[in-house]
Amino acid sequence: AQSVTQLDSHVSVSEGTPVLLRCNYSSSYSPSLFWYVQHPNKGLQLLLKYTSAATLVKGINGFEAEFKKSETSFHLTKPSAHMSDAAEYFCVVSGNTNAGKSTFGDGTTLTVKP
Amino acid sequence: EPEVTQTPSHQVTQMGQEVILRCVPISNHLYFYWYRQILGQKVEFLVSFYNNEISEKSEIFDDQFSVERPDGSNFTLKIRSTKLEDSAMYFCASRRGTGISYEQYFGPGTRLTVT
């Protein structure tokens, strides 16, 4: 089985300060891990993905994530938050079933204060 | 870059009516999926489809739901008799099925409103 736990339901930062969104995963096999962002009433946009290559993954809009197998974590970071980063963020694990379905975390709402 | 497309973008229907949500996956992909997201909640897996049959389904995917790949391009989700609680955003996804990446490509979603 596979599962994802996003440790914070809400994160609030000031513009220009660092962002940290935490994600722990559980998987019986080497997983593929993803972060998606969803703006209000919009679809899912892929930020970045880990698929067993480099453990530090760079994504779009300045976001990064580091895969730490020993900690079963895949935290999302950004050095400096922008107002446009305010959105819902989902950590996703895929691949631990024959069908390769995706399992989503509950989501983290990021608020960016001016 | 190839994309998954979904139609319609928004569907309004009355309770008890049948709806069909349509998806066109990326052309060389082999695995197809439907997910749903009730407003304010997380995205939930409904069903996966491979080689013209369901390969996995969740407990949400009961007898009211069915999927079909009627031709070489479309992938549809049918809800036979809609309920108010079926109101949600429905996402289609596809995956190539080879290699080590399990990345799924998501469509933009269809917002279903049941009144």
Side-chain angles (χ1 to χ4, degrees), chain B residues 56-76:
Chain B
E56 188 174 354
K57 61 182 181 179
S58 71
E59 60 275 7
I60 303 168
F61 194 87
D62 61 21
D63 292 344
Q64 291 298 311
F65 291 89
S66 62
V67 289
E68 192 178 33
R69 188 157 162 82
D71 52 40
S73 59
N74 289 284
F75 179 51
T76 61

Side-chain angles (χ1 to χ4, degrees), chain A residues 20-35:
Chain A
L20 170 63
L21 305 184
R22 298 182 295 165
C23 172
N24 286 352
Y25 71 91
S26 172
S27 177
S28 301
Y29 304 100
S30 295
S32 292
L33 292 160
F34 309 87
W35 276 98

Side-chain angles (χ1 to χ4, degrees), chain A residues 30 32 34 36 38 41-44 46 49 51-52 90 94-95 97-107, chain B residues 31 33 35 37 39 41-45 48 55-56 89 91 95 100-109 111:
Chain A
S30 295
S32 292
F34 309 87
Y36 287 88
Q38 186 180 36
N41 298 311
K42 299 291 186 184
L44 299 163
L46 179 67
K49 61 183 177 182
T51 55
S52 79
F90 293 100
S94 291
T97 68
N98 287 337
K101 72 178 184 185
S102 291
T103 299
F104 283 70
D106 288 341
Chain B
Y31 289 83
Y33 307 83
Y35 295 82
Q37 184 184 31
L39 186 65
Q41 299 185 22
K42 71 175 180 181
V43 179
E44 301 172 290
F45 168 75
S48 59
S55 46
E56 188 174 354
M89 180 77 93
F91 293 103
R95 173 168 75 88
I100 60 172
S101 169
Y102 288 92
E103 180 179 358
Q104 294 174 17
Y105 293 77
F106 285 86
R111 181 168 298 284

Side-chain angles (χ1 to χ4, degrees), chain A residues 55-71:
Chain A
T55 56
L56 181 61
V57 180
K58 293 186 186 299
I60 62 172
N61 299 337
F63 284 95
E64 293 184 350
E66 186 171 6
F67 173 73
K68 292 186 177 180
K69 188 175 180 179
S70 60
E71 299 176 10

